[in-house]
């Protein structure tokens, strides 16, 4: 099969690149930002017509951490709606029957009726106000996939990862997600010997973190091994910890004294808790082995130090 991976040069796209030798009967095409402007309908339709794909892994999106979301809700909504609309139209017109479409657990309700949340609760009530642009655009992607599945019998599977991290992440200090942005900031403090280590908020919010290479394995399994034959959304997550616990583990990995860390409580905590369950995933893949946070952070920090020339920041 010829498989298109949009967002092919991002955190998850690169993680998929590293495992495609396990799937050598398939051809993977990794779409980079400059190859095709996905917000442009004509470009997208032409690109699909010129390259006949059998299925798709749709990862490309306008994304960022809490602070980028708070500053650009309009862009987050508008760009992602356009991208997803174009991609789905192109899939439909080119008879692509199977695909993986990436959502995120941060689109879930902020005050749900129960924890942990499952796949049925995406639309139950509003998301946190800080990222409502991104959240509603991705909720619409779930709706669109469901409608295509119902009407055209496609197998468009929405995958719902929690906070992803790993090599090839966006390490931008202002716009990145929590792990890459504090890792980068702490690294700068460490090498400059200022040792002024700050994290944002109180550290009390809970989050689940998933190592991007683990998510890449899940995506390829769902698409290619025919164990999951449904076309319904599936959550991909790992254990829940506080931001404070995650930060302590990161400091340990970076060999920085935990006592030097201070919290800037003038900055937002974002949503306090958005726990989701991987019960459904484990029903299909009971033996799936997740990378521990400590090992994932160690790999990520080593990659960051050894690949400074290509790090996005
Ligand atoms: P979210 O999980 O979608 O809210 O996005 P993030 O990955 O940006 O995580 C945000 C959480 O980490 C919030 O509780 C922030 O207060 C906390 N946090 C602590 N330090 C930082 C930082 O330097 N950058 C970011 N993005 N978040 C931080």
């Amino acid at each position: 099969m010829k498989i298109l991976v949009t967002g092919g040069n991002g955190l998850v796209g690169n993680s998929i690149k590293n495992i495609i030798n396990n799937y050598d009967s398939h051809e993977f095409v990794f779409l980079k930002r400059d190859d095709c402007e996905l917000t442009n309908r004509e470009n997208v339709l032409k690109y699909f017509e010129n390259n006949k794909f059998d299925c798709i892994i749709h990862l490309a999106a306008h994304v960022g951490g809490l602070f980028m979301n708070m500053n650009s809700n309009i862009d987050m909504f508008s760009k992602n709606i356009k991208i997803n609309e174009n991609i789905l139209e192109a899939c439909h017109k080119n008879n692509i029957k199977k695909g993986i479409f990436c959502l995120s657990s941060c689109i879930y309700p902020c005050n749900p009726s129960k924890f942990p949340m499952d796949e049925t609760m995406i639309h139950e009530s509003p998301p946190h106000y800080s990222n409502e642009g991104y959240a509603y655009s991705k909720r619409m992607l779930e709706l669109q996939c469901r409608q295509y599945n119902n009407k055209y019998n496609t197998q468009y599977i929405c995958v719902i990862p929690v906070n992803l991290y790993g090599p090839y992440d966006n390490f931008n200090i202002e716009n990145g997600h929590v792990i890459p942005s504090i890792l980068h900031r702490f690294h700068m403090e460490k090498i400059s010997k200022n040792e002024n280590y700050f994290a944002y908020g109180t550290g009390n919010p809970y989050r689940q973190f998933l190592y991007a290479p683990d998510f890449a394995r899940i995506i390829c399994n769902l698409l290619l091994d025919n164990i999951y034959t449904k076309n319904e959304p599936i959550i991909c997550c790992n254990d829940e910890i506080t931001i404070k616990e995650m930060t302590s583990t990161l400091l340990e990995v970076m060999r920085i004294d935990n006592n030097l860390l201070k919290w800037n409580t003038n900055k937002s905590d974002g949503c306090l808790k958005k726990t989701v369950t991987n019960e459904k995933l484990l029903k299909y893949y009971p033996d799936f082995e997740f990378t521990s946070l400590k090992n994932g952070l160690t790999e990520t920090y080593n990659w960051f130090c050894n690949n400074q020339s290509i790090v996005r920041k």
Side-chain angles (χ1 to χ4, degrees), residues 64-67 69 106 130-131 163 173-179 181-182 185 198-203 205 207 209 243 247 263 267-271 274:
L66 169 63
F67 299 99
N69 271 293
C106 71
S130 59
N131 73 338
N163 278 39
I173 288 181
E174 298 308 319
N175 292 335
H177 281 101
V178 55
I179 289 181
S181 69
I182 60 172
R185 232 181 21 249
F198 269 102
Y200 297 161
T202 59
R207 292 290 184 274
F209 295 99
I243 294 288
T247 310
W263 293 88
K267 297 267 194 182
S268 172
D269 269 339
C271 189
K274 38 190 174 182

Short mmCIF file of all heavy atoms in Angstrom, two decimals, residues 64-67 69 106 130-131 163 173-179 181-182 185 198-203 205 207 209 243 247 263 267-271 274, ligand 1:
data_model
loop_
_atom_site.label_atom_id
_atom_site.label_comp_id
_atom_site.label_asym_id
_atom_site.label_seq_id
_atom_site.Cartn_x
_atom_site.Cartn_y
_atom_site.Cartn_z
N GLY A 64 0.29 23.83 19.31
CA GLY A 64 1.21 24.49 20.23
C GLY A 64 0.83 24.18 21.66
O GLY A 64 -0.19 23.53 21.91
N GLY A 65 1.63 24.66 22.60
CA GLY A 65 1.35 24.44 24.01
C GLY A 65 0.30 25.40 24.52
O GLY A 65 -0.26 26.21 23.76
N LEU A 66 0.05 25.33 25.81
CA LEU A 66 -0.98 26.14 26.46
C LEU A 66 -0.88 27.63 26.10
O LEU A 66 -1.87 28.27 25.74
CB LEU A 66 -0.86 25.95 27.98
CG LEU A 66 -1.66 26.88 28.88
CD1 LEU A 66 -3.16 26.69 28.66
CD2 LEU A 66 -1.33 26.62 30.35
N PHE A 67 0.35 28.18 26.13
CA PHE A 67 0.48 29.62 25.98
C PHE A 67 0.29 30.07 24.54
O PHE A 67 -0.22 31.15 24.28
CB PHE A 67 1.79 30.09 26.62
CG PHE A 67 1.81 29.78 28.09
CD1 PHE A 67 2.47 28.65 28.57
CD2 PHE A 67 1.08 30.54 28.98
CE1 PHE A 67 2.43 28.32 29.92
CE2 PHE A 67 1.03 30.22 30.33
CZ PHE A 67 1.70 29.10 30.81
N ASN A 69 -1.77 28.45 22.47
CA ASN A 69 -3.22 28.31 22.30
C ASN A 69 -3.96 29.53 22.82
O ASN A 69 -4.87 30.05 22.18
CB ASN A 69 -3.72 27.07 23.03
CG ASN A 69 -3.67 25.84 22.14
OD1 ASN A 69 -4.40 25.75 21.16
ND2 ASN A 69 -2.79 24.92 22.47
N CYS A 106 -6.59 16.95 24.72
CA CYS A 106 -6.87 18.31 25.23
C CYS A 106 -8.14 18.89 24.62
O CYS A 106 -8.53 20.00 24.95
CB CYS A 106 -5.68 19.23 25.02
SG CYS A 106 -5.43 19.67 23.32
N SER A 130 -8.98 27.99 27.40
CA SER A 130 -7.65 28.37 26.92
C SER A 130 -7.37 27.83 25.52
O SER A 130 -6.61 28.43 24.78
CB SER A 130 -6.57 27.89 27.89
OG SER A 130 -6.64 26.48 28.02
N ASN A 131 -7.95 26.69 25.16
CA ASN A 131 -7.65 26.13 23.84
C ASN A 131 -8.91 25.77 23.06
O ASN A 131 -8.93 24.80 22.31
CB ASN A 131 -6.72 24.90 23.97
CG ASN A 131 -7.45 23.69 24.50
OD1 ASN A 131 -8.47 23.83 25.15
ND2 ASN A 131 -6.93 22.51 24.22
N ASN A 163 -0.62 14.22 26.08
CA ASN A 163 0.54 15.10 25.79
C ASN A 163 1.70 14.27 25.24
O ASN A 163 2.28 13.46 25.95
CB ASN A 163 1.04 15.77 27.08
CG ASN A 163 0.23 16.98 27.45
OD1 ASN A 163 -0.99 16.96 27.30
ND2 ASN A 163 0.88 18.02 27.92
N ILE A 173 10.50 27.91 23.36
CA ILE A 173 10.30 28.19 24.78
C ILE A 173 8.92 28.80 25.07
O ILE A 173 8.29 28.48 26.07
CB ILE A 173 11.44 29.10 25.30
CG1 ILE A 173 12.72 28.27 25.37
CG2 ILE A 173 11.10 29.73 26.64
CD1 ILE A 173 13.94 28.98 25.87
N GLU A 174 8.44 29.64 24.17
CA GLU A 174 7.15 30.30 24.40
C GLU A 174 5.96 29.45 23.94
O GLU A 174 4.93 29.40 24.61
CB GLU A 174 7.09 31.65 23.67
CG GLU A 174 8.13 32.65 24.14
CD GLU A 174 8.09 32.83 25.65
OE1 GLU A 174 6.99 32.88 26.22
OE2 GLU A 174 9.18 32.89 26.26
N ASN A 175 6.12 28.82 22.77
CA ASN A 175 4.96 28.18 22.13
C ASN A 175 4.89 26.67 22.30
O ASN A 175 3.89 26.06 21.96
CB ASN A 175 4.96 28.47 20.62
CG ASN A 175 4.71 29.94 20.36
OD1 ASN A 175 4.09 30.61 21.18
ND2 ASN A 175 5.18 30.43 19.23
N GLY A 176 5.98 26.07 22.77
CA GLY A 176 6.02 24.60 22.84
C GLY A 176 5.15 24.05 23.96
O GLY A 176 4.66 24.79 24.82
N HIS A 177 4.98 22.74 23.93
CA HIS A 177 4.30 22.07 25.05
C HIS A 177 5.24 22.03 26.25
O HIS A 177 6.42 22.35 26.15
CB HIS A 177 3.88 20.66 24.63
CG HIS A 177 2.64 20.65 23.80
ND1 HIS A 177 2.66 20.53 22.43
CD2 HIS A 177 1.33 20.80 24.14
CE1 HIS A 177 1.42 20.58 21.97
NE2 HIS A 177 0.59 20.76 22.98
N VAL A 178 4.69 21.60 27.39
CA VAL A 178 5.43 21.78 28.63
C VAL A 178 6.80 21.08 28.62
O VAL A 178 7.81 21.70 28.98
CB VAL A 178 4.57 21.39 29.87
CG1 VAL A 178 4.03 19.98 29.79
CG2 VAL A 178 5.36 21.57 31.15
N ILE A 179 6.88 19.82 28.20
CA ILE A 179 8.18 19.12 28.29
C ILE A 179 9.24 19.79 27.40
O ILE A 179 10.31 20.18 27.90
CB ILE A 179 8.04 17.61 27.99
CG1 ILE A 179 7.31 16.94 29.16
CG2 ILE A 179 9.41 16.96 27.74
CD1 ILE A 179 7.11 15.44 29.05
N SER A 181 9.39 22.78 26.13
CA SER A 181 9.74 24.17 26.44
C SER A 181 10.52 24.28 27.75
O SER A 181 11.48 25.04 27.83
CB SER A 181 8.53 25.12 26.36
OG SER A 181 7.63 24.88 27.36
N ILE A 182 10.17 23.50 28.77
CA ILE A 182 10.98 23.64 30.00
C ILE A 182 12.33 22.93 29.85
O ILE A 182 13.33 23.40 30.39
CB ILE A 182 10.28 23.21 31.32
CG1 ILE A 182 9.86 21.78 31.31
CG2 ILE A 182 9.15 24.09 31.67
CD1 ILE A 182 9.35 21.35 32.69
N ARG A 185 14.46 25.50 28.22
CA ARG A 185 14.78 26.60 29.15
C ARG A 185 15.79 26.17 30.21
O ARG A 185 16.78 26.86 30.48
CB ARG A 185 13.49 27.07 29.82
CG ARG A 185 13.32 28.54 29.70
CD ARG A 185 12.11 29.17 30.33
NE ARG A 185 11.42 28.49 31.35
CZ ARG A 185 10.19 27.97 31.22
NH1 ARG A 185 9.55 28.03 30.06
NH2 ARG A 185 9.59 27.37 32.23
N PHE A 198 12.95 28.09 36.32
CA PHE A 198 11.53 28.42 36.55
C PHE A 198 10.62 27.50 35.76
O PHE A 198 10.86 27.26 34.58
CB PHE A 198 11.24 29.86 36.10
CG PHE A 198 11.43 30.87 37.19
CD1 PHE A 198 12.57 31.65 37.23
CD2 PHE A 198 10.47 31.00 38.18
CE1 PHE A 198 12.76 32.58 38.24
CE2 PHE A 198 10.65 31.94 39.21
CZ PHE A 198 11.80 32.72 39.23
N ALA A 199 9.56 27.03 36.40
CA ALA A 199 8.48 26.38 35.65
C ALA A 199 7.23 27.23 35.87
O ALA A 199 7.17 28.02 36.82
CB ALA A 199 8.27 24.97 36.13
N TYR A 200 6.25 27.08 35.00
CA TYR A 200 5.08 27.95 35.04
C TYR A 200 3.91 27.33 35.81
O TYR A 200 3.71 26.12 35.80
CB TYR A 200 4.59 28.25 33.62
CG TYR A 200 5.59 29.01 32.77
CD1 TYR A 200 5.48 29.01 31.38
CD2 TYR A 200 6.64 29.72 33.34
CE1 TYR A 200 6.39 29.69 30.58
CE2 TYR A 200 7.55 30.41 32.56
CZ TYR A 200 7.42 30.40 31.18
OH TYR A 200 8.32 31.07 30.40
N GLY A 201 3.11 28.21 36.44
CA GLY A 201 1.92 27.76 37.16
C GLY A 201 2.31 27.24 38.55
O GLY A 201 3.38 27.55 39.08
N THR A 202 1.43 26.40 39.12
CA THR A 202 1.66 25.88 40.48
C THR A 202 2.34 24.51 40.46
O THR A 202 2.84 24.06 41.50
CB THR A 202 0.31 25.70 41.20
OG1 THR A 202 -0.48 24.78 40.43
CG2 THR A 202 -0.44 27.02 41.34
N GLY A 203 2.29 23.84 39.31
CA GLY A 203 2.82 22.47 39.25
C GLY A 203 1.79 21.43 39.68
O GLY A 203 2.03 20.23 39.62
N PRO A 205 -1.41 20.85 38.36
CA PRO A 205 -2.26 20.16 37.37
C PRO A 205 -1.76 18.74 37.08
O PRO A 205 -0.57 18.47 37.19
CB PRO A 205 -2.14 21.03 36.12
CG PRO A 205 -1.76 22.36 36.61
CD PRO A 205 -0.90 22.12 37.82
N ARG A 207 -1.38 15.65 34.32
CA ARG A 207 -1.30 15.39 32.89
C ARG A 207 -0.86 13.94 32.66
O ARG A 207 -0.22 13.34 33.52
CB ARG A 207 -0.26 16.30 32.20
CG ARG A 207 -0.61 17.79 32.15
CD ARG A 207 -1.75 18.09 31.18
NE ARG A 207 -2.01 19.52 31.04
CZ ARG A 207 -2.81 20.24 31.84
NH1 ARG A 207 -3.45 19.67 32.86
NH2 ARG A 207 -2.99 21.52 31.61
N PHE A 209 1.43 11.74 29.90
CA PHE A 209 2.43 11.97 28.84
C PHE A 209 2.66 10.68 28.07
O PHE A 209 2.69 9.59 28.67
CB PHE A 209 3.74 12.46 29.45
CG PHE A 209 3.61 13.80 30.11
CD1 PHE A 209 3.44 13.93 31.48
CD2 PHE A 209 3.63 14.97 29.34
CE1 PHE A 209 3.29 15.17 32.08
CE2 PHE A 209 3.48 16.22 29.92
CZ PHE A 209 3.31 16.31 31.30
N ILE A 243 2.30 17.92 37.08
CA ILE A 243 3.36 18.67 36.39
C ILE A 243 4.61 18.71 37.29
O ILE A 243 5.74 18.59 36.83
CB ILE A 243 2.88 20.10 36.05
CG1 ILE A 243 1.76 20.06 35.01
CG2 ILE A 243 4.04 20.98 35.57
CD1 ILE A 243 2.17 19.68 33.60
N THR A 247 8.26 17.37 36.29
CA THR A 247 9.41 18.30 36.31
C THR A 247 10.55 17.73 37.16
O THR A 247 11.72 17.84 36.79
CB THR A 247 8.96 19.67 36.85
OG1 THR A 247 7.80 20.06 36.12
CG2 THR A 247 10.02 20.73 36.63
N TRP A 263 8.57 28.16 41.02
CA TRP A 263 7.35 28.16 40.21
C TRP A 263 6.87 29.58 40.01
O TRP A 263 6.71 30.32 40.98
CB TRP A 263 6.26 27.32 40.89
CG TRP A 263 6.65 25.87 40.90
CD1 TRP A 263 7.39 25.23 41.85
CD2 TRP A 263 6.38 24.91 39.87
NE1 TRP A 263 7.59 23.92 41.49
CE2 TRP A 263 6.98 23.70 40.28
CE3 TRP A 263 5.71 24.96 38.66
CZ2 TRP A 263 6.91 22.54 39.52
CZ3 TRP A 263 5.63 23.80 37.89
CH2 TRP A 263 6.23 22.61 38.32
N LYS A 267 1.76 32.66 36.01
CA LYS A 267 1.41 32.03 34.73
C LYS A 267 0.30 31.00 34.94
O LYS A 267 0.19 30.41 36.02
CB LYS A 267 2.65 31.33 34.15
CG LYS A 267 3.79 32.27 33.83
CD LYS A 267 3.71 32.70 32.39
CE LYS A 267 5.00 33.36 31.96
NZ LYS A 267 4.94 33.84 30.58
N SER A 268 -0.45 30.78 33.85
CA SER A 268 -1.64 29.92 33.95
C SER A 268 -1.29 28.44 34.19
O SER A 268 -0.26 27.95 33.73
CB SER A 268 -2.44 30.05 32.66
OG SER A 268 -3.49 29.11 32.64
N ASP A 269 -2.19 27.77 34.91
CA ASP A 269 -2.11 26.31 35.08
C ASP A 269 -2.82 25.58 33.95
O ASP A 269 -2.67 24.37 33.79
CB ASP A 269 -2.82 25.90 36.38
CG ASP A 269 -1.89 25.87 37.57
OD1 ASP A 269 -0.66 25.77 37.36
OD2 ASP A 269 -2.40 25.94 38.70
N GLY A 270 -3.65 26.31 33.20
CA GLY A 270 -4.49 25.63 32.20
C GLY A 270 -5.51 24.75 32.90
O GLY A 270 -5.84 24.98 34.08
N CYS A 271 -5.96 23.74 32.21
CA CYS A 271 -6.95 22.81 32.78
C CYS A 271 -6.28 22.01 33.91
O CYS A 271 -5.13 21.61 33.79
CB CYS A 271 -7.41 21.89 31.65
SG CYS A 271 -8.79 20.88 32.08
N LYS A 274 -7.36 16.29 33.09
CA LYS A 274 -8.14 15.82 31.93
C LYS A 274 -7.89 14.34 31.69
O LYS A 274 -7.64 13.91 30.56
CB LYS A 274 -7.80 16.65 30.69
CG LYS A 274 -6.36 17.07 30.53
CD LYS A 274 -6.24 18.08 29.39
CE LYS A 274 -4.85 18.64 29.27
NZ LYS A 274 -4.72 19.63 28.22
P1 LIG B 1 -1.78 21.42 27.86
O1 LIG B 1 -1.51 20.08 28.48
O2 LIG B 1 -2.60 21.32 26.61
O3 LIG B 1 -2.36 22.39 28.85
O4 LIG B 1 -0.42 22.04 27.34
P2 LIG B 1 1.08 22.07 27.82
O5 LIG B 1 1.83 20.90 27.35
O6 LIG B 1 1.56 23.41 27.38
O7 LIG B 1 1.09 21.94 29.43
C1 LIG B 1 0.67 22.98 30.19
C2 LIG B 1 0.85 22.69 31.68
O8 LIG B 1 2.23 22.71 32.03
C3 LIG B 1 0.18 23.82 32.47
O9 LIG B 1 -0.24 23.32 33.73
C4 LIG B 1 1.34 24.81 32.64
O10 LIG B 1 1.14 25.69 33.75
C5 LIG B 1 2.50 23.83 32.90
N1 LIG B 1 3.81 24.40 32.56
C6 LIG B 1 4.86 24.58 33.42
N2 LIG B 1 5.90 25.16 32.82
C7 LIG B 1 5.55 25.31 31.51
C8 LIG B 1 6.24 25.82 30.37
O11 LIG B 1 7.37 26.27 30.43
N3 LIG B 1 5.57 25.77 29.17
C9 LIG B 1 4.30 25.25 29.07
N4 LIG B 1 3.72 25.19 27.86
N5 LIG B 1 3.62 24.80 30.14
C10 LIG B 1 4.23 24.81 31.35
#
